[in-house]
Amino acid sequence: MAARGHVQDPNDRRLRPIYGKIHITCLSLYRPSGSDLCYRTGMCVIECSKGLQELWRAGEAFGAEAAVSVRLRCRMTLVTKLYEAAVRKVPTSEEYHSHLFMAYARVGEYKKMQQAGMALYKIVPKNPYYFWSVMSLVMQAISAQDEKLSQTMFLPLAERMVEKMVKEEKIEAEAEVQLYFMILERLGKYVEALEVVQGPLGEKLTSELQSRENKCMMLYRRLERWAECNALSCKLLLKNPDDWQFYILYFDSLFYLIDQSWAPPQEGAHSAEGEVHASTAQAISFMEDRIATEEAKESKHLRGPYLARLELIRRLRERSCPEAQQLGEPLELMFQFFVKFGDKPCCITDLEIFLDLLTPDQHVQFINRLMEAVPLGAPGEDGVALPGDTRALQRHLCVTQLSRSLGQQHALNTEGKLGLIKELKAHYRHGLQFGKSCLKTELQFSDMYCLMAAHVYIDLWLETGDQNMLWQCLGLLEEGLSNSSSNAQFKLLLLLLYCRLGAFEPVVDLYSSLDAKHVQHDTIGYLLTRYAESLGQFAAASQSCNFSLRFFHSNQKDTSEYIIQAYKYGAFEKIPEFIAFRNRLNHSLHFAQARTERMLLDLFLEADTSSPLEESVKSMSLCPEEDDIPWDSLRDNRDLTVLVSWNPKDRQLNEEHKQHSLEDDTLWLRLRSLTLRLIGCVSALTHPPTSRNSEKTTENGVAAKPSSLQSLLSQLENTLNQATQFTEKQLQHQYPFVGPVPSRLAQALSSGCCQCQLSSLQLPLHLQELETAGLDDSTELQTQISNLFKSLAVQLQDMLEKCKGDLLEVKDDQTKPQQFLLENLVYFVETICIVLWVSNYCGSVLRPLKSSLQKKKKKKKEASTVTPPVLSAYQEFSSSLRSLLNQALEHIKSQEISLTALKLGALSLERQTQSEAEGTFTKTAMDKVQSSYLRSLQEIGELLKKRADTLKSLKI
């Protein structure tokens, strides 16, 4: 397959001459004479490289940037050679040596970094240079394939180097102690690491708050010294009773000690860290003391102790300990917590994790009890009691969110949910008055009411199938976004809903306005790329892939810079993290998906319309025989919880959903990757338009490739069988609406495109056999090929039939989007492209055979005989393709006409529940969907027209 990250853009070809000229200029500067010419030459290359990076970054073409990232990595190896020459010329230069070290760091030459660091230290004996060399040894250990080599050679050597400095009392900085700690930890020498932290060297660990204590705690856990862990967590909680991590460590160590029946020694201290708690009575007493301390305060109560009490109740109940009752009734304790902290936005997330402490019959009582602590005004004409200030608003909002988390909203009937929506909208609009002075970048205090009302609308749409609920939901979110233009949750939910409706046009602007930064292009970028191409907006699809791929391609360079800065400033513990981060991104599932889809998209749009297929494949460096997707180490970096949800536990995303979604996406990627590689195989088989004899056939590689083609076809067939079985059981794994986005797999199989593409890609194998056998001795083979042509025509016609219907169906006062028709149309176009490429190859094989047959007839002066069946079948197939394309174009035109004539604003939306203002926002949403459908049809139609032009080349 293509070299990782290399997807070329036509603009790259325009930039090649510029790059060439700069490169020639750099080389012309190199001369063997002069004391610092090597250095100046190196600097020239670096500056030129930087200039090029800026040039490509400024350009809109992602392909050029991708191509350059590959070239720049190659150029950096040349830069290291230039610095090596400079160092040889001026061996005592600190500057040249340090630049050489950083040049090695950019290309990950850890062995040479180690040597360069020591060489630098010998010239200028500064501690940082010595520890650069030590860290380079650690990096050799981390990157080594052989774990035994790391543990027996690299890390012990690094340890000895640091110990030498310790014995000579030359340790100066915290970074050096951190590095020593890292080495000992990786060697599993936890006792020695603990001695370092607790000894004089540990006094240098001052950059982070409680750095020594945190390291001690981690080592105690590793060593399973639970007594010390417990005692230290006690001490730390006395200093900072709001630090949740220490409560967790306290409880973990407490119950380990209880299970081990630990008892304090008869004499001396309980542990090296002091007194140890090893009974539930001590734990309860400790918690009560923390609570009493908080209660004694007049203001600024800390939440930690109150939540820790609930956590202790949970753990005691899990162990069936009757002592849990001593701490109080959870319902009452949670109510008290709400009284103290209910006006804080964090209250909902604090209490949500403890809702399982309530029994089902306590749910209504709990919500009613909380409502008693919510100060609301008298009910208005609509019967809704509203808050008088933001603190009361926050309390009411918290209760409403908890009510949904307990499943009370889901239990309502349709009438009850409509009433709830009315109440939520009243609270939302009333709350806007409190945010009149907010900046545009700030959220409105009542935004969550609007979002929750949208969720209830979605519940009604999914339960009843009433499309009006969906349209009103879109209208409400559009209204919310108009009042709070920076609300990411509104944008994400709108993005998801528009995509589900098949309207991609508004989605690009929504995603752009999210202003996704850095790694977010990996964690949430899938929301965009999943739907981009499948909804027929190819220009936007290309742009959406660029959003993600540009980040992935800059990752290598950026990570190298982070590593260099970490060396410069002694942040050694961060270097392995940066390396791990880079590997995580290189193995990202989303990266592999976006890269594969981008290459396929380029081929569907360009190949054989602006340049021949083989040229397009060659420009991508696509190698069908190689699969460079790291299947065994693919990382699912998607953030599947980015959308807010207050669903009860049984409706939340679970691990089974996540695993099923990963399998779904991986299967689809495998199908697309195999399809791409098979297209590459077809391009390698294509004959030039000149007749050739059988000897040249092997020479040009046509007969030399069947093994890879056959292998890939077998893999595709097996993967299709797996995919079919997978989709059959997929109905049992319905994701939550705000959970994972289903891949395109199920719809692709439903459309028939996968099987049709497989059938078409099998043709080249049969044509190769026919080319070898000739027309005279291949009657059975010709019949087989003829039947395959006929079958393909039938399959394509069936696919086209599945595209027919109205994209916006108006029926019974409801406007129902049928976005699957749009997806089917895209799959039809993709399949047509593949069929045309295969047909082009078939024509290149049949043309010489037909010509040879005619020559034989002329020599023998035979009267016209029956045309061989394979030639007739091919001509009939070509004719059927023309007919199919004409039908498809007529269907698209008719859809464009009917959509344009559709006046959505005049349609009845049963607006008795909507005001005029609400109706305006709903109409805006409907107009966006209509406009998007029209654009999709236009782009699909334009691509089909281009493909219709290539049909002329199929004549034989």
Side-chain angles (χ1 to χ4, degrees):
M1 205 168 160
R4 280 192 73 74
H6 184 71
V7 185
Q8 201 168 36
D9 189 277
N11 287 334
D12 182 34
R13 292 191 287 276
R14 301 181 199 131
L15 290 168
R16 278 181 196 161
I18 302 172
Y19 190 96
K21 286 177 184 176
I22 295 176
H23 183 55
I24 290 166
T25 304
C26 289
L27 292 177
S28 69
L29 291 173
Y30 183 81
R31 295 288 183 276
S33 60
S35 62
D36 65 339
L37 267 176
C38 293
Y39 175 68
R40 286 194 283 113
T41 304
M43 291 308 296
C44 179
V45 172
I46 292 168
E47 289 307 314
C48 289
S49 298
K50 287 178 179 175
L52 279 169
Q53 285 175 317
E54 293 304 317
L55 175 65
W56 274 298
R57 192 171 288 128
E60 291 180 358
F62 138 78
E65 188 177 339
V68 131
S69 66
V70 175
R71 292 196 187 110
L72 282 179
R73 281 196 291 275
C74 298
R75 294 289 181 261
M76 285 313 301
T77 59
L78 297 178
V79 172
T80 60
K81 293 185 186 302
L82 288 165
Y83 278 129
E84 286 168 359
V87 165
R88 284 195 298 271
K89 203 74 176 174
V90 191
T92 58
S93 170
E94 179 182 5
E95 186 179 7
Y96 291 3
H97 274 281
S98 61
H99 279 302
L100 176 60
F101 180 89
M102 294 308 174
Y104 286 143
R106 280 191 170 87
V107 293
E109 291 275 6
Y110 303 125
K111 174 75 173 173
K112 291 183 178 179
M113 287 166 66
Q114 177 200 345
Q115 295 166 347
M118 284 309 296
L120 186 54
Y121 180 70
K122 287 174 183 176
I123 296 166
V124 187
K126 295 179 182 177
N127 270 26
Y129 299 150
Y130 185 88
F131 283 94
W132 284 5
S133 183
V134 175
M135 186 62 213
S136 301
L137 266 173
V138 175
M139 291 312 301
Q140 288 180 69
I142 291 171
S143 60
Q145 299 291 329
D146 187 353
E147 180 65 23
K148 188 177 179 182
L149 195 65
S150 299
Q151 294 294 317
T152 58
M153 189 173 83
F154 295 125
L155 290 173
L157 178 56
E159 182 188 14
R160 287 196 297 274
M161 287 181 71
V162 181
E163 284 176 347
K164 178 178 179 294
M165 298 293 276
V166 173
K167 287 174 184 174
E168 294 174 4
E169 297 184 350
K170 290 183 178 179
I171 299 289
E172 298 171 351
E174 179 182 5
E176 296 157 13
V177 181
Q178 292 276 19
L179 180 53
Y180 190 21
F181 179 84
M182 186 199 308
I183 294 166
L184 292 172
E185 186 186 3
R186 288 183 176 274
L187 281 168
K189 294 187 174 183
Y190 303 128
V191 174
E192 292 85 342
L194 190 60
E195 289 171 358
V196 169
V197 175
Q198 293 177 332
L201 290 177
E203 293 174 6
K204 296 183 184 293
L205 300 172
T206 57
S207 63
E208 294 179 13
L209 191 66
Q210 297 173 332
S211 178
R212 293 181 78 182
E213 290 86 348
N214 286 331
K215 280 183 166 52
C216 284
M217 191 74 79
M218 183 267 287
L219 292 169
Y220 286 146
R221 285 179 67 87
R222 294 274 179 88
L223 293 166
E224 297 187 357
R225 289 167 62 169
W226 301 113
E228 284 81 359
C229 189
N230 181 272
L232 181 56
S233 59
C234 276
K235 286 198 298 187
L236 292 171
L237 284 171
L238 290 173
K239 289 181 184 177
N240 187 359
D242 208 34
D243 196 322
W244 188 250
Q245 63 169 328
F246 295 135
Y247 281 113
I248 298 302
L249 289 166
Y250 173 76
F251 293 137
D252 287 346
S253 59
L254 171 78
F255 290 111
Y256 271 114
L257 292 169
I258 290 173
D259 291 342
Q260 293 170 2
S261 302
W262 184 90
Q266 293 181 353
E267 295 180 4
H270 286 191
S271 72
E273 294 291 348
E275 186 183 353
V276 177
H277 294 173
S279 69
T280 54
Q282 286 175 303
I284 291 170
S285 175
F286 182 68
M287 284 297 104
E288 288 176 343
D289 288 346
R290 302 287 67 72
I291 297 290
T293 303
E294 286 305 308
E295 293 292 340
K297 293 181 181 179
E298 293 183 4
S299 61
K300 292 187 178 179
H301 295 290
L302 300 175
R303 292 153 40 232
Y306 298 97
L307 294 172
R309 179 168 56 184
L310 290 167
E311 176 66 20
L312 181 56
I313 291 173
R314 183 210 299 281
R315 295 199 180 210
L316 290 171
R317 282 188 174 187
E318 285 172 355
R319 302 166 72 86
S320 302
C321 295
E323 294 92 335
Q325 297 175 6
Q326 296 176 28
L327 288 162
E329 175 59 38
L331 189 151
E332 183 60 32
L333 296 177
M334 290 165 76
F335 170 72
Q336 291 173 13
F337 184 88
F338 178 79
V339 170
K340 283 185 172 63
F341 306 108
D343 56 355
K344 297 181 183 297
C346 59
C347 186
I348 173 65
T349 50
D350 287 342
L351 290 179
E352 205 169 24
I353 57 177
F354 295 111
L355 290 178
D356 59 343
L357 295 178
L358 302 174
T359 59
D361 58 354
Q362 288 181 314
H363 291 177
V364 174
Q365 180 190 352
F366 176 61
I367 295 300
N368 290 341
R369 188 80 193 280
L370 295 185
M371 282 301 296
E372 294 172 7
V374 180
L376 297 176
E381 293 180 5
D382 55 3
V384 180
L386 300 169
D389 56 33
T390 55
R391 297 183 68 179
L393 181 151
Q394 189 58 55
R395 283 183 178 277
H396 181 266
L397 179 58
C398 181
V399 178
T400 308
Q401 291 168 323
L402 287 169
S403 171
R404 184 168 178 83
S405 295
L406 288 169
Q408 292 186 1
Q409 293 185 6
H410 296 89
L412 297 171
N413 58 22
T414 301
E415 204 61 40
K417 285 176 181 168
L418 288 172
L420 174 62
I421 289 171
K422 181 181 176 183
E423 183 182 336
L424 290 170
K425 288 196 291 189
H427 276 279
Y428 166 63
R429 290 173 184 136
H430 171 263
L432 292 175
Q433 64 181 299
F434 303 124
K436 287 180 180 177
S437 61
C438 289
L439 300 174
K440 285 187 177 180
T441 53
E442 293 178 319
L443 305 185
Q444 290 290 328
F445 292 100
S446 59
D447 275 357
M448 285 302 181
Y449 285 118
C450 180
L451 190 64
M452 188 176 293
H455 280 242
V456 182
Y457 268 132
I458 291 169
D459 293 342
L460 283 168
W461 169 51
L462 295 174
E463 290 166 12
T464 65
D466 185 349
Q467 293 297 318
N468 290 335
M469 297 297 101
L470 179 57
W471 292 120
Q472 291 182 43
C473 175
L474 284 169
L476 180 60
L477 288 170
E478 289 283 2
E479 179 185 350
L481 200 56
S482 71
N483 293 316
S484 190
S485 58
S486 296
N487 192 307
Q489 287 299 323
F490 289 165
K491 293 174 185 178
L492 287 166
L493 191 52
L494 274 170
L495 186 152
L496 188 61
L497 288 168
Y498 278 128
C499 282
R500 292 284 180 97
L501 289 174
F504 195 74
E505 190 176 50
V507 167
V508 178
D509 288 337
L510 282 168
Y511 187 83
S512 292
S513 68
L514 281 169
D515 197 21
K517 301 292 187 187
H518 203 59
V519 75
Q520 288 177 321
H521 288 302
D522 188 20
T523 57
I524 65 172
Y526 72 94
L527 291 169
L528 196 66
T529 54
R530 153 62 181 90
Y531 290 101
E533 185 188 349
S534 65
L535 298 180
Q537 302 214 354
F538 305 121
S542 180
Q543 184 184 354
S544 68
C545 287
N546 290 352
F547 277 144
S548 295
L549 289 172
R550 192 173 289 114
F551 157 67
F552 285 113
H553 291 305
S554 66
N555 169 46
Q556 287 286 340
K557 173 187 168 293
D558 291 346
T559 310
S560 295
E561 294 304 319
Y562 304 152
I563 291 168
I564 286 168
Q565 294 303 313
Y567 271 108
K568 282 183 180 178
Y569 295 105
F572 297 123
E573 74 279 6
K574 295 298 177 187
I575 294 172
E577 293 178 24
F578 292 142
I579 299 293
F581 176 72
R582 179 167 65 191
N583 292 338
R584 185 183 180 116
L585 292 179
N586 284 342
H587 296 164
S588 166
L589 170 67
H590 179 228
F591 179 27
Q593 288 172 326
R595 197 164 49 90
T596 303
E597 291 297 340
R598 174 62 199 265
M599 286 193 277
L600 280 169
L601 183 61
D602 283 351
L603 290 176
F604 293 141
L605 292 177
E606 302 293 338
D608 283 345
T609 58
S610 62
S611 61
L613 175 63
E614 51 269 40
E615 279 188 25
S616 298
V617 169
K618 187 178 179 182
S619 70
M620 293 177 177
S621 301
L622 181 63
C623 182
E625 290 81 11
E626 295 177 13
D627 184 1
D628 70 337
I629 296 177
W631 296 105
D632 295 333
S633 56
L634 277 179
R635 296 291 300 266
D636 185 4
N637 298 333
R638 298 173 299 167
D639 183 353
L640 300 178
T641 58
V642 66
L643 281 94
V644 166
S645 169
W646 304 276
N647 287 343
K649 194 170 183 179
D650 61 329
R651 292 173 179 261
Q652 288 176 3
L653 183 69
N654 56 41
E655 286 304 316
E656 192 177 0
H657 289 140
K658 292 178 185 177
Q659 188 57 40
H660 191 80
S661 174
L662 176 58
E663 190 179 347
D664 184 7
D665 274 52
T666 306
L667 264 176
W668 175 246
L669 174 60
R670 200 176 285 277
L671 278 178
R672 299 293 274 183
S673 173
L674 287 167
T675 303
L676 176 62
R677 293 168 66 194
L678 278 162
I679 292 170
C681 279
V682 171
S683 76
L685 300 176
T686 303
H687 291 71
T690 55
S691 62
R692 51 178 54 176
N693 55 37
S694 58
E695 292 156 86
K696 288 185 179 178
T697 299
T698 306
E699 196 178 288
N700 74 4
V702 174
K705 300 282 185 181
S707 58
S708 61
L709 182 63
Q710 180 65 67
S711 170
L712 289 172
L713 282 168
S714 298
Q715 291 179 54
L716 181 60
E717 194 166 7
N718 290 336
T719 306
L720 262 178
N721 290 335
Q722 291 176 41
T724 304
Q725 293 171 12
F726 178 84
T727 50
E728 286 172 359
K729 64 179 183 180
Q730 191 165 1
L731 294 173
Q732 304 165 12
H733 295 81
Q734 292 296 322
Y735 307 132
F737 186 80
V738 293
V741 175
S743 81
R744 297 168 62 189
L745 182 62
Q747 189 62 38
L749 291 173
S750 172
S751 73
C753 76
C754 297
Q755 191 56 50
C756 188
Q757 289 173 16
L758 174 63
S759 300
S760 66
L761 290 165
Q762 288 170 337
L763 270 169
L765 280 179
H766 300 302
L767 266 294
Q768 284 179 332
E769 292 179 41
L770 180 66
E771 188 176 28
T772 304
L775 290 175
D776 296 334
D777 305 314
S778 58
T779 308
E780 188 176 336
L781 181 58
Q782 287 189 55
T783 303
Q784 189 179 358
I785 295 171
S786 301
N787 290 338
L788 196 46
F789 278 131
K790 290 174 185 174
S791 172
L792 259 180
V794 171
Q795 288 180 65
L796 286 167
Q797 187 66 53
D798 288 345
M799 283 187 68
L800 184 57
E801 292 303 315
K802 291 178 181 177
C803 302
K804 292 181 179 177
D806 291 329
L807 282 173
L808 277 174
E809 184 184 58
V810 181
K811 188 177 180 182
D812 300 331
D813 289 330
Q814 290 210 16
T815 308
K816 183 181 180 182
Q818 300 193 101
Q819 68 282 357
F820 64 91
L821 296 174
L822 200 55
E823 290 193 57
N824 286 349
L825 199 51
V826 171
Y827 291 129
F828 173 77
V829 173
E830 288 185 359
T831 307
I832 283 290
C833 291
I834 293 172
V835 168
L836 286 172
W837 292 325
V838 170
S839 301
N840 188 44
Y841 167 70
C842 295
S844 69
V845 173
L846 295 175
R847 222 169 274 122
L849 292 175
K850 181 182 179 183
S851 176
S852 176
L853 182 66
Q854 289 172 338
K855 286 177 183 176
K856 285 180 183 178
K857 287 181 182 178
K858 285 181 182 178
K859 283 181 182 178
K860 296 181 179 179
K861 297 181 180 179
E862 293 179 359
S864 60
T865 55
V866 178
T867 304
V870 70
L871 298 179
S872 303
Y874 180 77
Q875 288 169 337
E876 288 174 15
F877 181 64
S878 299
S879 176
S880 67
L881 282 179
R882 290 189 191 90
S883 173
L884 272 168
L885 282 176
N886 287 334
Q887 288 179 53
L889 287 168
E890 285 174 12
H891 167 65
I892 290 170
K893 188 176 180 181
S894 69
Q895 278 298 296
E896 287 178 327
I897 292 169
S898 63
L899 269 174
T900 305
L902 200 59
K903 303 296 182 185
L904 293 180
L907 294 173
S908 170
L909 284 172
E910 298 181 354
R911 294 189 184 175
Q912 63 270 25
T913 60
Q914 283 195 302
S915 65
E916 186 177 340
E918 288 178 302
T920 302
F921 284 113
T922 302
K923 181 182 180 301
T924 299
M926 297 181 85
D927 288 344
K928 286 182 178 181
V929 173
Q930 183 183 26
S931 172
S932 181
Y933 284 174
L934 283 167
R935 166 150 324 185
S936 295
L937 289 170
Q938 181 187 354
E939 291 198 30
I940 294 170
E942 287 172 359
L943 181 53
L944 272 179
K945 285 173 187 173
K946 286 182 181 177
R947 291 298 166 191
D949 293 339
T950 64
L951 277 169
K952 298 169 187 174
S953 64
L954 298 185
K955 292 179 182 178
I956 56 172

